[in-house]
Amino acid sequence: NKKPITGANISVSDSYDGATSDANGNFNFVSTDTGKKIITCSFIGFETASSAVSLNGKDVTLLFSLKEKAFVALFSVQIIA
């Protein structure tokens, strides 16, 4: 389905650095981290995707493709208060 996902969360492992994708699915952020890191992209209803990168102060271009999660239909919900 190759449609961009607005509002996907992109984050750097072991860091507070990250961004949220725009209406076109694009994102960018600046990180002071260096070395090997895992960049993760997630969105509710989709499987999380990750990519290992080497950060060295230069631009890095990543393309994530998220797959929709398979949902099991609920036939009934019981709420007890």
Side-chain angles (χ1 to χ4, degrees):
N1 165 341
K2 308 272 181 184
K3 292 182 182 177
I5 298 175
T6 303
N9 296 306
I10 297 87
S11 59
V12 179
S13 62
D14 302 323
S15 170
Y16 292 108
D17 295 337
T20 302
S21 62
D22 64 18
N24 296 315
N26 298 317
F27 62 91
N28 65 49
F29 59 89
V30 175
S31 178
T32 57
D33 289 338
T34 57
K36 282 198 161 197
K37 295 290 181 179
I38 302 293
I39 309 295
T40 302
C41 181
S42 62
F43 190 74
I44 295 173
F46 289 81
E47 294 180 11
T48 298
S50 298
S51 182
V53 298
S54 181
L55 300 178
N56 58 10
K58 296 181 181 178
D59 288 350
V60 175
T61 300
L62 296 172
L63 176 63
F64 289 104
S65 181
L66 303 183
K67 293 181 181 182
E68 286 190 66
K69 285 184 180 178
F71 286 99
V72 176
L74 295 176
F75 294 102
S76 66
V77 175
Q78 181 179 14
I79 300 174
I80 301 173

